[in-house]
Amino acid sequence: MPGDPRFLSPVDLHTHSSVSDGTEAPADLVRSARRAGVNTVALTDHDSTAGWADAAGAAREVGVTLVPGMELSTRYGWKSVHVLGYLFDPDDQQLVAETARIRQARRTRAEAMVARLAVDYDLTWEDVLAQTTPGSTVGRPHIADALVRRGHVDSRSDAFETLLHPRGGYYEPLYAPTPLDGVRLIRAAGGVPVLAHPATRGRDRVVQEDYLDRLVDAGLFGLEIDHRENTEDGKAYLRELADRHGLVLTGSSDYHGEGKPNRLGENTTPVEALQRIIEHATGSEPVYA
Ligand code: AMP
Ligand code: ZN
Ligand code: FE
Ligand code: FE
C-alpha cells in the first residue's frame, strides 16, 4: 500500500544534490539513499526544485519514497537562517519568483567574492563555474572547490574556516528574504516549513522566542533537531520549544555527497513526524516507493 508506514522508515529529510552544492546528481543521490538503506529521502537543494523530476524517476526505479523539498535561504539581521520546505507546489508563482531572485543574488554575491579573492589569489570566475552544473544554485562550496582545485586550500572545510569565513576578508553577505517571509511563502504554496538546524554552534537560539512565535503564527510546522551541527544544549532547548508550540521534531543528515562528511541516514525523522508533515501539505505529494 502506498505510504504504508512500515515501508517509510528510516526517513532522512534533508539532502543536497548537484542542483545546489551537493556532489551527486539527483538520481544518483536517490540511488545512494537506497544503498544506504534509507527508505524515505527528501531532496532539499538550496533555493531550487530543479532536481525533483530526476529524483522522482530514480525513486520509482529503485523503490525509495521521495519527499520533494527545498532549503530556502533567509536572513534575520546578519544571521543566515535556513528554512526547509516540504511538499509545496513547485509552480507557485511567488515562490518561483523569490527563489529565482535568491539564485541570481547568490551568483552576483559569489562573483563579488571571487573578484576580491582574485586580487590575492590565482582564481577566476570560470574556475568556479567549472565546479557547478548548468543552472545550479551557486554557493560558497563551489568557490571552495575551485580554491581546492587551484591548490590554495586543502578542502571545503579548510576554505570555510579561512578564506570564505564571514570574517575572512573576502566575504560578501547574501540577499535573502526574512524567515517570516520564507515561512509565509512556503505555506502559501501549500508546503510545510521546518526550521533547519536551528541550534548550531554560534547560532544557538538562532531566533528569539518572540520571533519564533511569529513564525509559528505564520505556519512554521517543525524544528530540525537531530542534525550533527545542533549542540546538545541547543537540542534540549529545541525540545522545550517544540513542546510549548506544538511543533514536530525532525532529524536528517544534510548530506552533500562528497562535499561534506555527513552520511545519508546518520540522523533520521520518526515516521509519525513525517506523516504529520504529509497530512499537513497541500502543494504536492510524496513519490511513494
Ligand atoms: P552559502 O549558502 O553560499 O553561504 O554557503 C553555505 C553552504 O556551505 C551551506 O549549505 C553548507 O552546507 C556549506 N558549508 C558550510 N560550512 C561548510 C564546511 N565547513 N564544509 C563544507 N561545506 C560547508
Ligand atoms: Zn549546502
Ligand atoms: Fe542549511
Ligand atoms: Fe542543508
Side-chain angles (χ1 to χ4, degrees), residues 14-16 21 44 46 71 82 84 196-197 227 254 256 260:
H14 181 167
T15 70
H16 298 269
D21 53 7
T44 54
H46 298 284
E71 187 174 20
H82 288 172
L84 293 158
H197 45 72
H227 183 288
D254 205 355
H256 281 68
K260 274 190 154 186

Side-chain angles (χ1 to χ4, degrees), residues 21 46 82 106 109 138-141 156-157 160 256 259-260:
D21 53 7
H46 298 284
H82 288 172
R106 281 177 156 282
R109 172 254 203 161
V138 183
R140 279 182 293 162
R156 270 192 185 185
S157 299
F160 270 91
H256 281 68
K260 274 190 154 186

Side-chain angles (χ1 to χ4, degrees), residues 149-190:
R149 199 59 186 254
R150 284 275 186 186
H152 301 310
V153 294
D154 289 338
S155 65
R156 270 192 185 185
S157 299
D158 186 14
F160 270 91
E161 280 157 29
T162 58
L163 302 181
L164 301 182
H165 192 275
R167 289 187 297 278
Y170 303 98
Y171 187 81
E172 171 75 19
L174 173 67
Y175 157 79
T178 64
L180 192 58
D181 283 340
V183 164
R184 286 181 179 142
L185 276 168
I186 292 165
R187 279 301 314 155

Side-chain angles (χ1 to χ4, degrees), residues 20-86:
S20 60
D21 53 7
T23 57
E24 289 173 348
D28 293 333
L29 182 152
V30 170
R31 288 183 200 112
S32 294
R34 168 78 297 151
R35 274 196 301 279
V38 168
N39 283 326
T40 301
V41 69
L43 179 68
T44 54
D45 277 307
H46 298 284
D47 312 308
S48 177
T49 60
W52 284 20
D54 286 355
R60 289 190 190 96
E61 202 180 291
V62 301
V64 163
T65 292
L66 175 75
V67 178
M70 182 166 73
E71 187 174 20
L72 185 69
S73 303
T74 75
R75 212 170 127 185
Y76 183 62
W78 52 268
K79 283 187 199 169
S80 155
V81 176
H82 288 172
V83 183
L84 293 158
Y86 300 111

